Amino acid sequence: MAKIMIDPITRIEGHLRVEVEVAGGKVVNAWTSGQMFRGIELILQGRDPRDAPLFCQRT
Amino acid sequence: MNQESDFYQRLSEKGISRRDFMKYCGFLTATMGLSSSFVPRVAEVFAAPKQRPPVIWLHFGECTGCSEAILRTMYPWIDELVLEILSIEYHETIFAAAGRQMEDNLHAAVKKYAGKYICIVEGAIATKYDGAYGKVAGRTFLEIAQDVCPKAAAVIAIGACAAYGGIQAAAPNPGGYKGVGDALGIKPVNIPGCPYNPVNLVGTIVNYLLLGKLPELDDIGRPLFAYGQTIHDQCPRRGHYENDEFVEEFGSKEAKLGYCLYKLGCKGPDTYNNCPIAKFNDGTSWPIEAGHPCIGCSEPGFWDKMTPFFGQKS
């Protein structure tokens, strides 16, 4: 079974990694994962709600 | 083949007149703080480039808004001009290659142009757990930066994130994110802003191509031509501030009259940038002109130091 890994995926925003398992010319399993964690939700906790849209625009 | 007439031919095919182009060069020259006698030389940097420096553009912890800023929102053709005077060797968002092919480009460029390339960094670098919060092709942002940045002729950190850590470095900074200078212990050219104004990056690069050196910087690495004065000191609403004419509520009569936004929480007095002069979107407008108080996005740590963004100041 062959495994193909593509990292980075380009022409998108963010850092995406895709892994694909191929058997007999067919995809039998696949995984995608975002390769970055920033924690915007954690950062938003306890802040003035009016600031929230300005934070969330930057994701 | 005449490089220069060829260039104007290509411009006119895109519907851009020589006059439009010279207008842009005049605007750029003024932004850079050079006298108008430099305009023809600035034009020549684009029209007949003597060199095309290789550029490695790295993306770390960010939203790609800074790439968008230069690719979309300014003069619609400025991206093409920039791509014509630079030889972009690596850029995750615009490259057709992906995966190993993409990484091979990076390694080959770092090796081939060692000591000669310009490294533009967009985004902050995670440092917690050895940088495990962010990776590209199995290497952490920190490892990539430690490999690529020291071999560059110049490192330019664009946007609030690459310059000073940006939004992901706001408290409690879950990933231990830092700006490029802090994370690596180097002194890059910082072009902060959220997003930065593309004209300031173009100005820095043209300065480098035209005069063979990077522009003069302030004590936190920002080019003085762009970050030498506060927003407040250049603000077209400054007169209202002096006259005690303030907006106290969004949508009010005072807001319609274009009064000073200081009492709504404007951070203009504490923020160094050239927004009132350079503006955004083809010189169309900028936050205060549109009636929104400045949030101080070109200052270090503004997500903590300048928040809450809105609120009455007495």
Side-chain angles (χ1 to χ4, degrees), chain A residues 6-15 17 35-40 42-43 47-48 50-51 54-55 58-59, chain B residues 59-61 63-64 92-93 95-97 99 103 133-137 167-168 171 177 194 303-304 308-310:
Chain A
I6 306 172
D7 179 8
I9 301 286
T10 51
R11 282 161 290 158
I12 57 150
E13 186 277 311
H15 302 283
R17 173 195 185 104
Q35 292 284 299
M36 171 174 71
F37 180 77
R38 298 191 291 161
I40 305 288
L42 300 172
I43 292 166
R47 289 180 187 265
D48 189 315
R50 290 172 299 176
D51 290 348
L54 280 82
F55 280 80
R58 270 86 175 176
T59 53
Chain B
H59 286 88
F60 295 138
C63 68
T64 318
E92 276 185 61
T93 323
F95 265 40
E103 289 313 293
Y133 278 69
K135 285 184 173 182
V136 180
I167 185 166
Q168 47 277 313
Y177 280 94
C194 195
W303 292 105
D304 290 322
F309 290 125
F310 307 101

Side-chain angles (χ1 to χ4, degrees), chain B residues 126-185:
Chain B
T127 59
K128 205 165 157 187
Y129 301 123
D130 295 325
Y133 278 69
K135 285 184 173 182
V136 180
R139 285 200 297 169
T140 65
F141 296 162
L142 191 60
E143 285 171 315
I144 298 167
Q146 281 166 343
D147 174 29
V148 178
C149 295
K151 295 173 193 145
V155 179
I156 304 176
I158 58 163
C161 301
Y164 310 121
I167 185 166
Q168 47 277 313
N173 193 354
Y177 280 94
K178 288 180 178 172
V180 178
D182 259 6
L184 301 184

Side-chain angles (χ1 to χ4, degrees), chain B residues 263-279:
Chain B
K263 289 191 176 175
L264 285 178
C266 184
K267 309 297 188 290
D270 304 316
T271 306
Y272 288 81
N273 209 338
N274 61 352
C275 312
I277 312 296
K279 301 191 183 182

Side-chain angles (χ1 to χ4, degrees), chain B residues 130-308:
Chain B
D130 295 325
Y133 278 69
K135 285 184 173 182
V136 180
R139 285 200 297 169
T140 65
F141 296 162
L142 191 60
E143 285 171 315
I144 298 167
Q146 281 166 343
D147 174 29
V148 178
C149 295
K151 295 173 193 145
V155 179
I156 304 176
I158 58 163
C161 301
Y164 310 121
I167 185 166
Q168 47 277 313
N173 193 354
Y177 280 94
K178 288 180 178 172
V180 178
D182 259 6
L184 301 184
I186 58 170
K187 287 200 181 305
V189 177
N190 290 327
I191 307 185
C194 195
Y196 73 114
N197 194 323
V199 73
N200 295 334
L201 174 63
V202 178
T204 301
I205 291 169
V206 169
N207 193 102
Y208 181 75
L209 296 179
L210 186 65
L211 309 172
K213 58 176 186 184
L214 292 164
E216 246 186 284
L217 308 176
D218 69 5
D219 56 351
I220 50 172
R222 301 178 294 194
L224 279 169
F225 73 79
Y227 301 90
Q229 279 182 287
T230 64
I231 297 285
H232 194 53
D233 283 348
Q234 307 164 83
C235 185
R237 299 193 182 201
R238 178 63 183 264
H240 294 298
Y241 175 87
E242 304 297 344
N243 290 343
D244 234 6
E245 293 165 343
F246 295 102
V247 181
E248 309 220 2
E249 203 184 339
F250 284 112
S252 64
K253 191 178 92 216
E254 291 76 16
K256 283 192 192 118
L257 288 167
Y259 283 1
C260 175
L261 302 165
Y262 182 74
K263 289 191 176 175
L264 285 178
C266 184
K267 309 297 188 290
D270 304 316
T271 306
Y272 288 81
N273 209 338
N274 61 352
C275 312
I277 312 296
K279 301 191 183 182
F280 289 85
N281 296 337
D282 192 358
T284 304
S285 188
W286 63 291
I288 289 178
E289 188 172 331
H292 193 284
C294 169
I295 61 170
C297 72
S298 54
E299 293 301 316
F302 79 99
W303 292 105
D304 290 322
K305 288 182 191 153
M306 304 287 190
T307 48

